[in-house]
Amino acid sequence: MSLPNLQIALDHSNLASALADIVKVGEIVDIVEVGTILCLQAGEEAIRCIRALYPEKLVVADTKCADAGGTVAKNCADAGADWMTVICCATIPTMKAAAAEVKEVQVELYGDWTYEQAQKWLDAGISQAIYHQSRDALLAGETWGEKDLSKVKTLIDMGFRVSVTGGLDVETLELFKGVDVYTFITGRGITSAYDPQVAAQAFKDEIKCIWG
Ligand code: 5RP
Ligand code: MG
């Protein structure tokens, strides 16, 4: 089992505040995500800036794309993104069109989806999935638990590299001990911390402690 990656999600409402945070933790994290909120506010410019700052890092555009996959993906790739996300209700042609333009596409699991659909994503050559607790579900009182673990394990058994995200804190990681999680994605767990650098390092240390 390899060490899960740590991905920071930059869900800032403006580029200046995203850049102020990423320079504190960019060398600690493995993957930098231009979050959905930032994509909507300053997408192309944000991807270009992150790529220029971190030429060697994996950069993800969390577009949660639902349509026009090829065009959106080409724009993201031209700006410097390696990967982009598509929403799970997008059609297979949308996913395939996106996959033709970026290095990899990740399917964002939100709302209703089935393992039958998931098999079709695999059959289409898409082998990354992001298992989410949405912000709004967490605000409504949802918590991480066995139900999530079981879905994540099933997706891994099917052959997906699975990222886990949504209101994660360092303590949540323990739940996934023994599970071959590909990446933990955290936004506010780092960016809302009193000291983002200390918070990012704490995630890294805990990953090493559990999976190392
Ligand atoms: C929400 C997202 C976020 O980027 C992801 O959930 C990480 O953010 P946070 O740790 O703040 O929940 O894609 O749709
Ligand atoms: Mg995101």
Side-chain angles (χ1 to χ4, degrees):
M1 199 171 295
S2 46
L3 219 55
N5 298 301
L6 177 62
Q7 176 172 325
I8 184 167
L10 299 171
D11 281 306
H12 301 69
S13 293
N14 63 73
L15 181 53
S17 58
L19 294 178
D21 274 344
I22 193 59
V23 295
K24 295 176 193 154
V25 301
E27 297 302 337
I28 300 172
V29 301
D30 303 294
I31 303 172
V32 182
E33 170 189 321
V34 177
T36 311
I37 295 170
L38 186 58
C39 278
L40 289 169
Q41 297 298 108
E44 181 183 348
E45 194 188 357
I47 298 168
R48 285 191 193 284
C49 283
I50 300 297
R51 171 51 70 215
L53 277 173
Y54 300 102
E56 308 301 330
K57 296 265 173 194
L58 278 167
V59 175
V60 184
D62 188 10
T63 54
K64 295 185 173 65
C65 184
D67 197 7
T71 306
V72 173
K74 184 172 185 326
N75 292 343
C76 289
D78 286 350
D82 298 295
W83 300 346
M84 74 170 250
T85 65
V86 295
I87 197 75
C88 55
C89 59
T91 63
I92 295 290
T94 293
M95 294 185 187
K96 277 187 167 175
E101 301 292 343
V102 286
K103 289 180 193 144
E104 285 199 50
V105 159
Q106 300 173 296
V107 181
E108 290 258 359
L109 305 176
Y110 270 106
D112 295 328
W113 55 273
T114 64
Y115 293 114
E116 196 183 350
Q117 278 175 294
Q119 187 56 52
K120 289 187 178 148
W121 307 330
L122 281 175
D123 295 344
I126 292 160
S127 60
Q128 285 207 57
I130 302 179
Y131 185 84
H132 257 277
Q133 291 270 18
S134 80
R135 283 184 176 220
D136 297 335
L138 289 164
L139 280 174
E142 275 286 344
T143 53
W144 284 99
E146 286 301 323
K147 65 179 188 334
D148 307 300
L149 203 55
S150 138
K151 288 180 194 162
V152 168
K153 282 183 186 165
T154 303
L155 289 162
I156 293 170
D157 288 345
M158 288 176 76
F160 284 99
R161 278 169 291 148
V162 179
S163 298
V164 168
T165 190
L168 293 179
D169 51 31
V170 170
E171 290 71 36
T172 321
L173 304 189
E174 177 78 24
L175 178 69
F176 294 91
K177 186 175 183 164
V179 181
D180 199 6
V181 172
Y182 184 58
T183 298
F184 287 104
I185 306 171
T186 178
R188 291 161 295 173
I190 294 175
T191 58
S192 298
Y194 174 71
D195 186 334
Q197 195 172 2
V198 169
Q201 194 58 55
F203 272 100
K204 276 299 262 193
D205 293 347
E206 184 70 357
I207 288 172
K208 201 165 178 191
C209 177
I210 298 174
W211 282 271

PDB file of all heavy atoms in Angstrom, residues 7-11 33 35-37 62 64 108 110 130 132-135 138 165-168 185-192, ligand 1:
ATOM      1  N   GLN A   7      -3.524  16.602  -1.070  1.00  0.00           N
ATOM      2  CA  GLN A   7      -3.894  17.628  -2.062  1.00  0.00           C
ATOM      3  C   GLN A   7      -4.549  18.788  -1.337  1.00  0.00           C
ATOM      4  O   GLN A   7      -5.444  18.589  -0.527  1.00  0.00           O
ATOM      5  CB  GLN A   7      -4.877  17.002  -3.063  1.00  0.00           C
ATOM      6  CG  GLN A   7      -5.437  17.965  -4.101  1.00  0.00           C
ATOM      7  CD  GLN A   7      -6.234  17.218  -5.171  1.00  0.00           C
ATOM      8  OE1 GLN A   7      -5.894  16.081  -5.544  1.00  0.00           O
ATOM      9  NE2 GLN A   7      -7.287  17.825  -5.683  1.00  0.00           N
ATOM     10  N   ILE A   8      -4.094  20.002  -1.654  1.00  0.00           N
ATOM     11  CA  ILE A   8      -4.774  21.175  -1.089  1.00  0.00           C
ATOM     12  C   ILE A   8      -5.778  21.696  -2.105  1.00  0.00           C
ATOM     13  O   ILE A   8      -5.468  21.798  -3.302  1.00  0.00           O
ATOM     14  CB  ILE A   8      -3.795  22.297  -0.677  1.00  0.00           C
ATOM     15  CG1 ILE A   8      -4.586  23.431  -0.019  1.00  0.00           C
ATOM     16  CG2 ILE A   8      -2.967  22.823  -1.848  1.00  0.00           C
ATOM     17  CD1 ILE A   8      -3.758  24.448   0.698  1.00  0.00           C
ATOM     18  N   ALA A   9      -6.984  21.981  -1.629  1.00  0.00           N
ATOM     19  CA  ALA A   9      -8.013  22.588  -2.475  1.00  0.00           C
ATOM     20  C   ALA A   9      -8.054  24.083  -2.182  1.00  0.00           C
ATOM     21  O   ALA A   9      -8.309  24.490  -1.047  1.00  0.00           O
ATOM     22  CB  ALA A   9      -9.370  21.954  -2.180  1.00  0.00           C
ATOM     23  N   LEU A  10      -7.778  24.870  -3.222  1.00  0.00           N
ATOM     24  CA  LEU A  10      -7.819  26.323  -3.070  1.00  0.00           C
ATOM     25  C   LEU A  10      -9.216  26.796  -3.470  1.00  0.00           C
ATOM     26  O   LEU A  10      -9.483  27.064  -4.644  1.00  0.00           O
ATOM     27  CB  LEU A  10      -6.743  26.983  -3.941  1.00  0.00           C
ATOM     28  CG  LEU A  10      -5.296  26.573  -3.612  1.00  0.00           C
ATOM     29  CD1 LEU A  10      -4.335  27.116  -4.669  1.00  0.00           C
ATOM     30  CD2 LEU A  10      -4.894  27.050  -2.213  1.00  0.00           C
ATOM     31  N   ASP A  11     -10.099  26.839  -2.492  1.00  0.00           N
ATOM     32  CA  ASP A  11     -11.485  27.247  -2.763  1.00  0.00           C
ATOM     33  C   ASP A  11     -11.699  28.693  -2.357  1.00  0.00           C
ATOM     34  O   ASP A  11     -12.695  29.027  -1.708  1.00  0.00           O
ATOM     35  CB  ASP A  11     -12.450  26.312  -2.014  1.00  0.00           C
ATOM     36  CG  ASP A  11     -12.627  24.991  -2.736  1.00  0.00           C
ATOM     37  OD1 ASP A  11     -12.979  25.011  -3.928  1.00  0.00           O
ATOM     38  OD2 ASP A  11     -12.397  23.939  -2.120  1.00  0.00           O
ATOM     39  N   GLU A  33      -4.867  21.906  -6.013  1.00  0.00           N
ATOM     40  CA  GLU A  33      -6.155  21.999  -6.710  1.00  0.00           C
ATOM     41  C   GLU A  33      -6.613  23.435  -6.803  1.00  0.00           C
ATOM     42  O   GLU A  33      -6.696  24.129  -5.790  1.00  0.00           O
ATOM     43  CB  GLU A  33      -7.208  21.185  -5.937  1.00  0.00           C
ATOM     44  CG  GLU A  33      -8.628  21.423  -6.452  1.00  0.00           C
ATOM     45  CD  GLU A  33      -9.686  20.804  -5.554  1.00  0.00           C
ATOM     46  OE1 GLU A  33      -9.462  19.680  -5.028  1.00  0.00           O
ATOM     47  OE2 GLU A  33     -10.735  21.447  -5.358  1.00  0.00           O
ATOM     48  N   GLY A  35      -9.618  25.116  -6.839  1.00  0.00           N
ATOM     49  CA  GLY A  35     -10.939  24.645  -6.429  1.00  0.00           C
ATOM     50  C   GLY A  35     -12.071  25.208  -7.290  1.00  0.00           C
ATOM     51  O   GLY A  35     -11.883  26.168  -8.033  1.00  0.00           O
ATOM     52  N   THR A  36     -13.221  24.588  -7.135  1.00  0.00           N
ATOM     53  CA  THR A  36     -14.374  24.982  -7.959  1.00  0.00           C
ATOM     54  C   THR A  36     -14.707  26.463  -7.787  1.00  0.00           C
ATOM     55  O   THR A  36     -14.976  27.171  -8.762  1.00  0.00           O
ATOM     56  CB  THR A  36     -15.596  24.127  -7.561  1.00  0.00           C
ATOM     57  OG1 THR A  36     -15.215  22.757  -7.545  1.00  0.00           O
ATOM     58  CG2 THR A  36     -16.743  24.331  -8.531  1.00  0.00           C
ATOM     59  N   ILE A  37     -14.656  26.921  -6.550  1.00  0.00           N
ATOM     60  CA  ILE A  37     -15.008  28.325  -6.295  1.00  0.00           C
ATOM     61  C   ILE A  37     -14.011  29.243  -7.008  1.00  0.00           C
ATOM     62  O   ILE A  37     -14.400  30.189  -7.703  1.00  0.00           O
ATOM     63  CB  ILE A  37     -15.032  28.594  -4.772  1.00  0.00           C
ATOM     64  CG1 ILE A  37     -16.166  27.782  -4.124  1.00  0.00           C
ATOM     65  CG2 ILE A  37     -15.177  30.084  -4.475  1.00  0.00           C
ATOM     66  CD1 ILE A  37     -16.139  27.766  -2.603  1.00  0.00           C
ATOM     67  N   ASP A  62     -10.548  21.819 -10.520  1.00  0.00           N
ATOM     68  CA  ASP A  62     -11.775  21.172 -10.029  1.00  0.00           C
ATOM     69  C   ASP A  62     -12.991  21.845 -10.665  1.00  0.00           C
ATOM     70  O   ASP A  62     -13.745  22.560 -10.016  1.00  0.00           O
ATOM     71  CB  ASP A  62     -11.830  21.242  -8.495  1.00  0.00           C
ATOM     72  CG  ASP A  62     -12.980  20.408  -7.945  1.00  0.00           C
ATOM     73  OD1 ASP A  62     -13.601  19.654  -8.714  1.00  0.00           O
ATOM     74  OD2 ASP A  62     -13.253  20.517  -6.732  1.00  0.00           O
ATOM     75  N   LYS A  64     -15.594  20.356 -11.988  1.00  0.00           N
ATOM     76  CA  LYS A  64     -16.853  19.599 -11.855  1.00  0.00           C
ATOM     77  C   LYS A  64     -17.664  19.726 -13.149  1.00  0.00           C
ATOM     78  O   LYS A  64     -18.872  19.981 -13.144  1.00  0.00           O
ATOM     79  CB  LYS A  64     -17.668  20.077 -10.651  1.00  0.00           C
ATOM     80  CG  LYS A  64     -16.973  19.816  -9.318  1.00  0.00           C
ATOM     81  CD  LYS A  64     -17.854  20.183  -8.139  1.00  0.00           C
ATOM     82  CE  LYS A  64     -17.248  19.784  -6.809  1.00  0.00           C
ATOM     83  NZ  LYS A  64     -16.000  20.486  -6.460  1.00  0.00           N
ATOM     84  N   GLU A 108     -16.110  13.194 -10.018  1.00  0.00           N
ATOM     85  CA  GLU A 108     -16.550  13.677  -8.703  1.00  0.00           C
ATOM     86  C   GLU A 108     -17.876  13.018  -8.353  1.00  0.00           C
ATOM     87  O   GLU A 108     -18.872  13.184  -9.067  1.00  0.00           O
ATOM     88  CB  GLU A 108     -16.790  15.194  -8.774  1.00  0.00           C
ATOM     89  CG  GLU A 108     -15.539  16.004  -8.919  1.00  0.00           C
ATOM     90  CD  GLU A 108     -15.122  16.639  -7.598  1.00  0.00           C
ATOM     91  OE1 GLU A 108     -15.820  16.458  -6.582  1.00  0.00           O
ATOM     92  OE2 GLU A 108     -14.103  17.327  -7.604  1.00  0.00           O
ATOM     93  N   TYR A 110     -21.061  12.856  -6.487  1.00  0.00           N
ATOM     94  CA  TYR A 110     -22.028  13.661  -5.742  1.00  0.00           C
ATOM     95  C   TYR A 110     -23.411  13.117  -5.996  1.00  0.00           C
ATOM     96  O   TYR A 110     -23.679  12.628  -7.105  1.00  0.00           O
ATOM     97  CB  TYR A 110     -22.020  15.109  -6.247  1.00  0.00           C
ATOM     98  CG  TYR A 110     -21.061  16.011  -5.532  1.00  0.00           C
ATOM     99  CD1 TYR A 110     -19.889  16.420  -6.140  1.00  0.00           C
ATOM    100  CD2 TYR A 110     -21.340  16.453  -4.243  1.00  0.00           C
ATOM    101  CE1 TYR A 110     -19.017  17.266  -5.482  1.00  0.00           C
ATOM    102  CE2 TYR A 110     -20.465  17.298  -3.588  1.00  0.00           C
ATOM    103  CZ  TYR A 110     -19.310  17.701  -4.205  1.00  0.00           C
ATOM    104  OH  TYR A 110     -18.435  18.533  -3.554  1.00  0.00           O
ATOM    105  N   ILE A 130     -13.416  10.687  -7.067  1.00  0.00           N
ATOM    106  CA  ILE A 130     -13.285  11.481  -5.841  1.00  0.00           C
ATOM    107  C   ILE A 130     -14.531  11.263  -5.004  1.00  0.00           C
ATOM    108  O   ILE A 130     -15.647  11.601  -5.419  1.00  0.00           O
ATOM    109  CB  ILE A 130     -13.121  12.979  -6.165  1.00  0.00           C
ATOM    110  CG1 ILE A 130     -11.891  13.187  -7.057  1.00  0.00           C
ATOM    111  CG2 ILE A 130     -12.996  13.782  -4.874  1.00  0.00           C
ATOM    112  CD1 ILE A 130     -11.651  14.627  -7.461  1.00  0.00           C
ATOM    113  N   HIS A 132     -16.782  12.193  -2.017  1.00  0.00           N
ATOM    114  CA  HIS A 132     -17.054  13.462  -1.352  1.00  0.00           C
ATOM    115  C   HIS A 132     -18.054  13.380  -0.232  1.00  0.00           C
ATOM    116  O   HIS A 132     -19.021  12.642  -0.319  1.00  0.00           O
ATOM    117  CB  HIS A 132     -17.740  14.387  -2.373  1.00  0.00           C
ATOM    118  CG  HIS A 132     -16.861  15.417  -2.939  1.00  0.00           C
ATOM    119  ND1 HIS A 132     -16.592  16.595  -2.310  1.00  0.00           N
ATOM    120  CD2 HIS A 132     -16.185  15.457  -4.104  1.00  0.00           C
ATOM    121  CE1 HIS A 132     -15.786  17.317  -3.062  1.00  0.00           C
ATOM    122  NE2 HIS A 132     -15.524  16.643  -4.163  1.00  0.00           N
ATOM    123  N   GLN A 133     -17.850  14.201   0.769  1.00  0.00           N
ATOM    124  CA  GLN A 133     -18.954  14.664   1.612  1.00  0.00           C
ATOM    125  C   GLN A 133     -19.105  16.116   1.205  1.00  0.00           C
ATOM    126  O   GLN A 133     -18.140  16.877   1.308  1.00  0.00           O
ATOM    127  CB  GLN A 133     -18.573  14.631   3.096  1.00  0.00           C
ATOM    128  CG  GLN A 133     -18.409  13.277   3.663  1.00  0.00           C
ATOM    129  CD  GLN A 133     -19.714  12.738   4.219  1.00  0.00           C
ATOM    130  OE1 GLN A 133     -20.803  13.226   3.887  1.00  0.00           O
ATOM    131  NE2 GLN A 133     -19.613  11.734   5.031  1.00  0.00           N
ATOM    132  N   SER A 134     -20.273  16.509   0.750  1.00  0.00           N
ATOM    133  CA  SER A 134     -20.399  17.885   0.287  1.00  0.00           C
ATOM    134  C   SER A 134     -20.414  18.848   1.477  1.00  0.00           C
ATOM    135  O   SER A 134     -20.778  18.482   2.587  1.00  0.00           O
ATOM    136  CB  SER A 134     -21.665  18.071  -0.542  1.00  0.00           C
ATOM    137  OG  SER A 134     -22.785  18.210   0.291  1.00  0.00           O
ATOM    138  N   ARG A 135     -20.018  20.085   1.201  1.00  0.00           N
ATOM    139  CA  ARG A 135     -20.054  21.129   2.233  1.00  0.00           C
ATOM    140  C   ARG A 135     -21.449  21.221   2.825  1.00  0.00           C
ATOM    141  O   ARG A 135     -21.635  21.360   4.026  1.00  0.00           O
ATOM    142  CB  ARG A 135     -19.751  22.497   1.597  1.00  0.00           C
ATOM    143  CG  ARG A 135     -18.316  22.712   1.314  1.00  0.00           C
ATOM    144  CD  ARG A 135     -18.099  24.120   0.780  1.00  0.00           C
ATOM    145  NE  ARG A 135     -16.683  24.308   0.604  1.00  0.00           N
ATOM    146  CZ  ARG A 135     -16.029  25.423   0.892  1.00  0.00           C
ATOM    147  NH1 ARG A 135     -16.673  26.473   1.338  1.00  0.00           N
ATOM    148  NH2 ARG A 135     -14.747  25.507   0.714  1.00  0.00           N
ATOM    149  N   LEU A 138     -22.334  18.298   5.079  1.00  0.00           N
ATOM    150  CA  LEU A 138     -21.649  18.419   6.369  1.00  0.00           C
ATOM    151  C   LEU A 138     -22.320  19.492   7.234  1.00  0.00           C
ATOM    152  O   LEU A 138     -22.524  19.305   8.426  1.00  0.00           O
ATOM    153  CB  LEU A 138     -20.164  18.745   6.156  1.00  0.00           C
ATOM    154  CG  LEU A 138     -19.332  17.580   5.593  1.00  0.00           C
ATOM    155  CD1 LEU A 138     -17.999  18.075   5.047  1.00  0.00           C
ATOM    156  CD2 LEU A 138     -19.084  16.508   6.646  1.00  0.00           C
ATOM    157  N   THR A 165     -12.533  13.385   0.192  1.00  0.00           N
ATOM    158  CA  THR A 165     -12.559  14.811   0.543  1.00  0.00           C
ATOM    159  C   THR A 165     -13.889  15.257   1.122  1.00  0.00           C
ATOM    160  O   THR A 165     -14.910  14.594   0.953  1.00  0.00           O
ATOM    161  CB  THR A 165     -12.228  15.683  -0.683  1.00  0.00           C
ATOM    162  OG1 THR A 165     -12.030  17.029  -0.255  1.00  0.00           O
ATOM    163  CG2 THR A 165     -13.333  15.644  -1.731  1.00  0.00           C
ATOM    164  N   GLY A 166     -13.827  16.399   1.778  1.00  0.00           N
ATOM    165  CA  GLY A 166     -15.027  17.033   2.310  1.00  0.00           C
ATOM    166  C   GLY A 166     -14.909  17.268   3.801  1.00  0.00           C
ATOM    167  O   GLY A 166     -15.124  16.339   4.584  1.00  0.00           O
ATOM    168  N   GLY A 167     -14.490  18.462   4.176  1.00  0.00           N
ATOM    169  CA  GLY A 167     -14.415  18.806   5.597  1.00  0.00           C
ATOM    170  C   GLY A 167     -13.476  17.924   6.392  1.00  0.00           C
ATOM    171  O   GLY A 167     -13.694  17.696   7.584  1.00  0.00           O
ATOM    172  N   LEU A 168     -12.418  17.433   5.766  1.00  0.00           N
ATOM    173  CA  LEU A 168     -11.490  16.536   6.481  1.00  0.00           C
ATOM    174  C   LEU A 168     -10.698  17.293   7.541  1.00  0.00           C
ATOM    175  O   LEU A 168     -10.269  18.427   7.314  1.00  0.00           O
ATOM    176  CB  LEU A 168     -10.478  15.911   5.513  1.00  0.00           C
ATOM    177  CG  LEU A 168     -10.994  14.919   4.474  1.00  0.00           C
ATOM    178  CD1 LEU A 168      -9.826  14.442   3.618  1.00  0.00           C
ATOM    179  CD2 LEU A 168     -11.695  13.745   5.127  1.00  0.00           C
ATOM    180  N   ILE A 185      -7.873  15.034   0.041  1.00  0.00           N
ATOM    181  CA  ILE A 185      -7.971  16.423  -0.423  1.00  0.00           C
ATOM    182  C   ILE A 185      -8.524  17.268   0.717  1.00  0.00           C
ATOM    183  O   ILE A 185      -9.598  16.965   1.249  1.00  0.00           O
ATOM    184  CB  ILE A 185      -8.930  16.552  -1.625  1.00  0.00           C
ATOM    185  CG1 ILE A 185      -8.534  15.601  -2.754  1.00  0.00           C
ATOM    186  CG2 ILE A 185      -8.972  18.003  -2.121  1.00  0.00           C
ATOM    187  CD1 ILE A 185      -9.560  15.520  -3.887  1.00  0.00           C
ATOM    188  N   THR A 186      -7.798  18.297   1.065  1.00  0.00           N
ATOM    189  CA  THR A 186      -8.324  19.179   2.111  1.00  0.00           C
ATOM    190  C   THR A 186      -8.178  20.648   1.720  1.00  0.00           C
ATOM    191  O   THR A 186      -7.168  21.050   1.146  1.00  0.00           O
ATOM    192  CB  THR A 186      -7.676  18.897   3.480  1.00  0.00           C
ATOM    193  OG1 THR A 186      -8.202  19.828   4.429  1.00  0.00           O
ATOM    194  CG2 THR A 186      -6.174  19.019   3.441  1.00  0.00           C
ATOM    195  N   GLY A 187      -9.231  21.370   2.001  1.00  0.00           N
ATOM    196  CA  GLY A 187      -9.232  22.808   1.754  1.00  0.00           C
ATOM    197  C   GLY A 187      -9.163  23.542   3.073  1.00  0.00           C
ATOM    198  O   GLY A 187      -8.089  23.917   3.556  1.00  0.00           O
ATOM    199  N   ARG A 188     -10.358  23.674   3.693  1.00  0.00           N
ATOM    200  CA  ARG A 188     -10.441  24.481   4.917  1.00  0.00           C
ATOM    201  C   ARG A 188      -9.608  23.920   6.058  1.00  0.00           C
ATOM    202  O   ARG A 188      -9.180  24.680   6.919  1.00  0.00           O
ATOM    203  CB  ARG A 188     -11.919  24.605   5.320  1.00  0.00           C
ATOM    204  CG  ARG A 188     -12.717  25.463   4.343  1.00  0.00           C
ATOM    205  CD  ARG A 188     -14.198  25.214   4.473  1.00  0.00           C
ATOM    206  NE  ARG A 188     -14.545  23.845   4.086  1.00  0.00           N
ATOM    207  CZ  ARG A 188     -15.742  23.311   4.230  1.00  0.00           C
ATOM    208  NH1 ARG A 188     -16.715  24.022   4.744  1.00  0.00           N
ATOM    209  NH2 ARG A 188     -15.977  22.057   3.852  1.00  0.00           N
ATOM    210  N   GLY A 189      -9.368  22.611   6.056  1.00  0.00           N
ATOM    211  CA  GLY A 189      -8.526  22.004   7.100  1.00  0.00           C
ATOM    212  C   GLY A 189      -7.136  22.623   7.122  1.00  0.00           C
ATOM    213  O   GLY A 189      -6.445  22.591   8.140  1.00  0.00           O
ATOM    214  N   ILE A 190      -6.724  23.157   5.992  1.00  0.00           N
ATOM    215  CA  ILE A 190      -5.433  23.855   5.923  1.00  0.00           C
ATOM    216  C   ILE A 190      -5.641  25.365   5.842  1.00  0.00           C
ATOM    217  O   ILE A 190      -5.069  26.124   6.623  1.00  0.00           O
ATOM    218  CB  ILE A 190      -4.615  23.372   4.696  1.00  0.00           C
ATOM    219  CG1 ILE A 190      -4.221  21.896   4.867  1.00  0.00           C
ATOM    220  CG2 ILE A 190      -3.373  24.246   4.501  1.00  0.00           C
ATOM    221  CD1 ILE A 190      -3.522  21.283   3.655  1.00  0.00           C
ATOM    222  N   THR A 191      -6.486  25.784   4.905  1.00  0.00           N
ATOM    223  CA  THR A 191      -6.551  27.234   4.643  1.00  0.00           C
ATOM    224  C   THR A 191      -7.241  28.027   5.761  1.00  0.00           C
ATOM    225  O   THR A 191      -7.002  29.220   5.903  1.00  0.00           O
ATOM    226  CB  THR A 191      -7.259  27.522   3.299  1.00  0.00           C
ATOM    227  OG1 THR A 191      -8.577  26.957   3.351  1.00  0.00           O
ATOM    228  CG2 THR A 191      -6.501  26.938   2.127  1.00  0.00           C
ATOM    229  N   SER A 192      -8.096  27.356   6.538  1.00  0.00           N
ATOM    230  CA  SER A 192      -8.754  28.075   7.644  1.00  0.00           C
ATOM    231  C   SER A 192      -8.017  27.916   8.958  1.00  0.00           C
ATOM    232  O   SER A 192      -8.466  28.423   9.985  1.00  0.00           O
ATOM    233  CB  SER A 192     -10.196  27.575   7.830  1.00  0.00           C
ATOM    234  OG  SER A 192     -10.947  27.829   6.677  1.00  0.00           O
TER     235      SER A 192
HETATM  236  C1  5RP B   1     -16.145  20.851  -2.572  1.00  0.00           C
HETATM  237  C2  5RP B   1     -14.735  20.623  -2.979  1.00  0.00           C
HETATM  238  C3  5RP B   1     -13.648  21.001  -2.034  1.00  0.00           C
HETATM  239  O1  5RP B   1     -12.567  21.462  -2.748  1.00  0.00           O
HETATM  240  C4  5RP B   1     -13.220  19.823  -1.183  1.00  0.00           C
HETATM  241  O2  5RP B   1     -14.319  19.277  -0.504  1.00  0.00           O
HETATM  242  C5  5RP B   1     -12.150  20.211  -0.154  1.00  0.00           C
HETATM  243  O3  5RP B   1     -12.569  21.267   0.623  1.00  0.00           O
HETATM  244  P1  5RP B   1     -12.846  21.216   2.198  1.00  0.00           P
HETATM  245  O4  5RP B   1     -11.722  20.419   2.837  1.00  0.00           O
HETATM  246  O5  5RP B   1     -12.813  22.659   2.605  1.00  0.00           O
HETATM  247  O6  5RP B   1     -14.171  20.543   2.396  1.00  0.00           O
HETATM  248  O7  5RP B   1     -14.447  20.175  -4.079  1.00  0.00           O
HETATM  249  O8  5RP B   1     -17.018  20.499  -3.569  1.00  0.00           O
END
